[in-house]
Amino acid sequence: MVNRMVEQGLISKEEAQSHPQRNVIYKTLGVNRDADLDLIGPLSVQGDDIFLLCSDGLTNLVSDEELLKIIKRSRLRKPVKR
């Protein structure tokens, strides 16, 4: 919910980090067949693009900059072609 407030310009990213409702879930993924997903796109995806799926449990503890550093340092395995 707080991320939505940041997107709407209601609060800053800095305010979001300590907002009392920062752990309120606005949307869900995979809970039921009727889940309402936010889709952004179309996206131009390249073969070497990396996607990180995580909960706010991670993103509240690690900054975007630190996540990027970790991803760049990681030795990611290429997917097996079938």
Side-chain angles (χ1 to χ4, degrees):
M1 184 172 90
V2 171
N3 188 52
R4 180 67 55 138
M5 293 168 71
V6 171
E7 290 172 353
Q8 294 173 345
L10 300 173
I11 62 173
S12 69
K13 275 188 158 184
E14 292 74 25
E15 292 171 312
Q17 292 176 350
S18 61
H19 194 281
Q21 294 180 316
R22 67 185 174 275
N23 293 323
V24 174
I25 297 173
Y26 183 78
K27 298 261 184 168
T28 62
L29 178 63
V31 174
N32 60 49
R33 292 180 184 266
D34 299 328
D36 184 21
L37 305 176
D38 284 335
L39 299 176
I40 300 170
L43 298 175
S44 176
V45 178
Q46 306 300 314
D48 59 348
D49 284 349
I50 299 170
F51 293 86
L52 171 67
L53 297 177
C54 64
S55 70
D56 61 352
L58 175 63
T59 58
N60 282 341
L61 297 174
V62 183
S63 70
D64 292 347
E65 293 78 17
E66 187 65 21
L67 284 174
L68 182 58
K69 287 179 190 176
I70 292 167
I71 290 170
K72 285 183 175 182
R73 284 194 315 245
S74 297
R75 293 182 180 180
L76 302 173
R77 291 181 291 159
K78 292 186 178 190
V80 176
K81 292 186 180 181
R82 295 176 188 222

